[in-house]
Amino acid sequence: MDDTAQQRLKKVHDTLTRAERQLAGAILENYPMSGLGSITRLAEKAEVSTPTVVRMVQKLGYTGFPEFQAALREELEAQISNPIDKRDGWSNTAPEEHLLNRFTDAVIGNIRQTLAHIDPADFDAVAALLADEAQSVFIAGGRITHALSEYLHLHLQVIRGRVQHIPTTSNAWPHALLDIEPGDVVVIYDIRRYENSTLKLAEMAAARGARTVLVTDQWQSPISRFATYSFSCRIEAPSAWDSTVAMMLLSETLIAAVQEAAWERTRDRMGALEEMFDETRVFRKFV
Amino acid sequence: MDDTAQQRLKKVHDTLTRAERQLAGAILENYPMSGLGSITRLAEKAEVSTPTVVRMVQKLGYTGFPEFQAALREELEAQISNPIDKRDGWSNTAPEEHLLNRFTDAVIGNIRQTLAHIDPADFDAVAALLADEAQSVFIAGGRITHALSEYLHLHLQVIRGRVQHIPTTSNAWPHALLDIEPGDVVVIYDIRRYENSTLKLAEMAAARGARTVLVTDQWQSPISRFATYSFSCRIEAPSAWDSTVAMMLLSETLIAAVQEAAWERTRDRMGALEEMFDETRVFRKFV
DNA sequence: GCCGCAATGAAACTATGATTACAAAATCGA
DNA sequence: TCGATTTTGTAATCATAGTTTCATTGCGGC
């Protein structure tokens, strides 16, 4: 039982209570610095009471806070005096070459590249477009990107009305086109291998006078010819498949921007949604 | 006058008295650790009295020992914190405070924290579990996480057979339980607000002898009580909603790991899938 | 050698930190 | 839904850390 405090924290993590977990999280957040101040500051930072801190460090096996703190200091000292410990990886418990670290490296690279290529003006313009209830919004995704399109749709639905999801994976999508009017916005996710149906959809939407927002990969879907706005995201990963994390990030950031632009409305709609959830909970109980 | 304590110590070194120099030497001896204990221990170690310590740190420009100590902590933190954090701005064309940069900052932080909490051994164990076709795999997600669960399901389907998706948002999920047998694996995504139906599902799956893999947020879904393996991901973001990017990253990394573990099979299945796509493309043309 | 000044630590004091006891709140199980 | 149990924070208590006061010591000049 002479593990590091970090190891002990993880080991007992499951047996901890809510407040204690919250505290454990705060300690691990910038370990081990946060544990070096007074018990009061640590408690404040974790938004728990000081007795909770005492109780938790005792669960960890220390006699009290000072002993815990002394242990932290020792660990820290060992860490600094040992220059070999570079802390390069993302998971410091896994070796550098572990897939967790390799994959994360690649994804962070993707994010960096993606952000570097996005024009903030375009981003803002698209956010404004999606926030404006004057036109309808249609969201379409392909086989892989279906999850993303669904995710965007789910959130936009809360923010505004007149949002429709078009899954191009089924063959019912042409029906959705009937509702598209000039000026409407069509958001399309399309990464390799680019699908025929999605291209067709973009083409027909453009023909009907819709404005198209394309979220694609770095090689650019053929749809970009029809697109009013186009964002290319890096999707490379050490895997047989591509990584859509960067696209997810862009989508979430868009959602946040749209929500910010239409906050009054969003708040009202969220409130109404909450109420409906509360009502339906009665039904859930019978399931 | 905002040098480091070390610089200040050297600067005023000549103007110090005998006992103070002795103290300064002790502090510099293993800087900055020795300054992080109590004033008493530092005084003892330097073989001077505590008032001497107070007087000297005041000569250094601090109001008192606590302020001096806080300065040391800050220096130390800056020293050990990961340089990747220090990046100013992800999109160099957008201002620092643009949502694109703020959101990405938060997400990168989430990823780091998430990775720090994941036990590589657990990760490997889950990957092996999901790669093994001996047992069936069931994947369930809630309202927000439905997209993630669908994404995982889509990919696992290519890698292996006997994978089933359970959308807990519909009320048909209890039917899926009929197929669960002891030893089967149930992957559940659950973030706040934790849903009753998902909890119920986990409970019933556990009762049927299934092994549960939980992907949850840092506050931990109540399901963790039933879970064989549990991964907590940071989901905080400057938005009215949470960010599931870290969960997406974990999911993709899992997919990559499973695919690697069962590469022969995956390759065959991917090939067969390609063929089917080629055939069905004929149908698409008529759409 | 004596005086005076600066330096220093002992001790008293104050403030803050850590712990404990207990009651309120939340959660759980029937 | 209600009672029992656990969790959690408030407030009181205790301990230690930090500061200040002041007497003692050491040192240089007269």
Side-chain angles (χ1 to χ4, degrees):
Chain A
M1 183 62 173
D2 53 352
D3 305 322
T4 68
Q6 199 170 24
Q7 287 168 326
R8 294 195 198 183
L9 273 170
K10 281 183 191 165
K11 194 177 287 177
V12 300
H13 193 268
D14 297 335
T15 71
L16 295 177
T17 65
R18 182 198 57 78
E20 286 170 348
R21 258 203 293 276
Q22 197 172 315
L23 170 63
I27 294 173
L28 291 171
E29 196 161 317
N30 71 339
Y31 183 86
M33 294 312 299
S34 49
L36 291 175
S38 74
I39 193 173
T40 317
R41 295 224 202 98
L42 177 57
E44 272 170 13
K45 188 172 179 182
E47 294 180 342
V48 298
S49 64
T50 55
T52 303
V53 180
V54 176
R55 281 188 289 258
M56 199 198 63
V57 299
Q58 283 170 350
K59 271 193 188 173
L60 291 177
Y62 305 99
T63 59
F65 187 76
E67 188 181 309
F68 167 73
Q69 211 170 41
L72 282 184
R73 268 199 302 274
E74 271 176 35
E75 283 176 32
L76 190 59
E77 185 164 8
Q79 192 187 313
I80 332 181
S81 60
N82 182 5
I84 300 161
D85 191 6
K86 296 186 299 176
R87 299 208 347 133
D88 266 348
W90 296 89
S91 166
N92 41 23
T93 44
E96 189 82 13
E97 334 73 45
H98 192 281
L99 184 65
L100 277 168
N101 282 322
R102 281 174 21 235
F103 205 100
T104 306
D105 270 344
V107 164
I108 298 289
N110 285 343
I111 289 175
R112 178 162 300 147
Q113 299 272 348
T114 302
L115 268 284
H117 280 79
I118 287 175
D119 183 348
D122 276 6
F123 176 87
D124 294 340
V126 170
L129 210 54
L130 294 178
D132 186 356
E133 256 183 331
Q135 61 273 335
S136 293
V137 170
F138 297 82
I139 302 169
R143 196 174 70 90
I144 301 288
T145 51
H146 175 257
L148 286 167
S149 61
E150 188 200 308
Y151 191 75
L152 177 64
H153 174 243
L154 177 76
H155 285 92
L156 273 193
Q157 252 185 335
V158 181
I159 299 175
R160 53 167 293 160
R162 306 180 67 191
V163 193
Q164 209 178 312
H165 189 211
I166 313 176
T168 58
T169 43
S170 93
N171 51 8
W173 63 263
H175 298 114
L177 283 170
L178 294 172
D179 296 331
I180 297 184
E181 290 177 13
D184 281 355
V185 181
V186 183
V187 181
I188 303 180
Y189 289 88
D190 194 30
I191 63 173
R192 66 175 182 188
R193 319 166 7 172
Y194 315 111
E195 288 164 46
N196 285 326
S197 59
T198 315
L199 176 59
K200 212 76 190 151
L201 167 72
E203 207 177 324
M204 291 164 80
R208 295 185 69 93
R211 284 171 288 181
T212 307
V213 177
L214 173 66
V215 182
T216 183
D217 54 36
Q218 67 254 47
W219 301 284
Q220 302 249 47
S221 150
I223 293 176
S224 60
R225 294 178 359 92
F226 306 105
T228 318
Y229 298 101
S230 176
F231 300 113
S232 29
C233 307
R234 294 273 300 203
I235 58 172
E236 277 177 321
S239 164
W241 287 278
D242 297 315
S243 165
T244 59
V245 169
M247 306 184 104
M248 177 68 114
L249 170 62
L250 173 62
S251 306
E252 286 189 345
T253 314
L254 259 181
I255 292 166
V258 174
Q259 160 243 297
E260 218 166 63
W263 177 232
E264 296 286 315
R265 188 175 64 214
T266 305
R267 201 185 42 206
D268 295 347
R269 291 176 69 99
M270 281 181 91
L273 189 64
E274 288 291 316
E275 274 175 37
M276 285 192 284
F277 280 149
D278 287 345
E279 282 179 36
T280 52
R281 187 173 297 165
V282 182
F283 288 101
R284 283 215 195 113
K285 281 186 179 162
F286 291 113
V287 172
Chain B
M1 184 59 174
D2 52 354
D3 306 321
T4 68
Q6 200 168 22
Q7 288 168 324
R8 294 195 198 184
L9 273 169
K10 284 178 185 163
K11 194 178 288 176
V12 299
H13 192 268
D14 297 337
T15 71
L16 294 178
T17 65
R18 195 219 86 238
E20 284 171 350
R21 255 201 294 276
Q22 195 174 318
L23 171 61
I27 293 174
L28 291 171
E29 196 164 315
N30 70 337
Y31 183 86
M33 292 310 302
S34 48
L36 292 176
S38 75
I39 192 174
T40 317
R41 295 228 201 94
L42 177 57
E44 274 170 14
K45 189 171 179 180
E47 295 181 340
V48 297
S49 66
T50 56
T52 304
V53 180
V54 175
R55 281 188 288 260
M56 197 198 64
V57 299
Q58 282 170 351
K59 272 193 189 172
L60 256 42
Y62 305 100
T63 60
F65 187 76
E67 189 180 307
F68 167 72
Q69 211 171 41
L72 283 184
R73 268 199 303 272
E74 270 176 36
E75 284 176 31
L76 193 57
E77 183 165 8
Q79 191 185 314
I80 64 167
S81 75
N82 206 314
I84 300 170
D85 276 325
K86 296 287 171 278
R87 200 188 154 76
D88 350 284
W90 297 87
S91 166
N92 37 27
T93 44
E96 189 83 10
E97 336 71 46
H98 192 282
L99 185 64
L100 276 168
N101 282 324
R102 283 181 10 243
F103 205 100
T104 305
D105 269 346
V107 164
I108 297 289
N110 285 344
I111 289 176
R112 168 161 300 124
Q113 298 286 337
T114 301
L115 267 285
H117 279 73
I118 287 176
D119 184 344
D122 276 5
F123 177 87
D124 294 340
V126 170
L129 211 54
L130 294 178
D132 187 356
E133 256 184 329
Q135 61 273 334
S136 292
V137 171
F138 297 82
I139 302 170
R143 196 174 71 89
I144 301 286
T145 51
H146 175 257
L148 286 167
S149 61
E150 189 199 308
Y151 190 76
L152 178 63
H153 174 242
L154 178 77
H155 285 90
L156 273 193
Q157 252 185 336
V158 181
I159 299 175
R160 54 167 292 162
R162 307 180 65 190
V163 193
Q164 208 177 313
H165 189 212
I166 312 175
T168 57
T169 40
S170 91
N171 52 9
W173 63 263
H175 299 112
L177 284 170
L178 294 173
D179 296 332
I180 297 185
E181 290 176 12
D184 281 355
V185 182
V186 183
V187 181
I188 303 180
Y189 289 87
D190 193 31
I191 63 174
R192 65 177 183 188
R193 321 170 2 175
Y194 314 111
E195 290 165 45
N196 286 327
S197 58
T198 315
L199 177 58
K200 214 74 189 152
L201 168 71
E203 209 176 324
M204 292 166 81
R208 294 185 68 94
R211 284 171 288 181
T212 308
V213 177
L214 172 68
V215 182
T216 183
D217 56 35
Q218 66 255 47
W219 301 283
Q220 301 247 58
S221 151
I223 292 176
S224 61
R225 297 183 354 94
F226 305 107
T228 318
Y229 297 101
S230 175
F231 300 112
S232 31
C233 306
R234 294 272 303 200
I235 58 172
E236 276 174 326
S239 164
W241 287 278
D242 297 315
S243 164
T244 59
V245 169
M247 306 184 106
M248 178 67 114
L249 170 61
L250 174 61
S251 306
E252 287 189 345
T253 313
L254 259 181
I255 291 166
V258 175
Q259 160 243 297
E260 218 166 61
W263 177 231
E264 296 287 314
R265 189 176 65 214
T266 306
R267 199 184 45 204
D268 295 347
R269 290 176 70 99
M270 282 182 91
L273 188 65
E274 287 294 315
E275 276 176 35
M276 286 192 284
F277 280 150
D278 287 346
E279 282 179 37
T280 52
R281 188 172 299 164
V282 182
F283 287 102
R284 283 216 195 115
K285 281 185 180 164
F286 291 111
V287 173

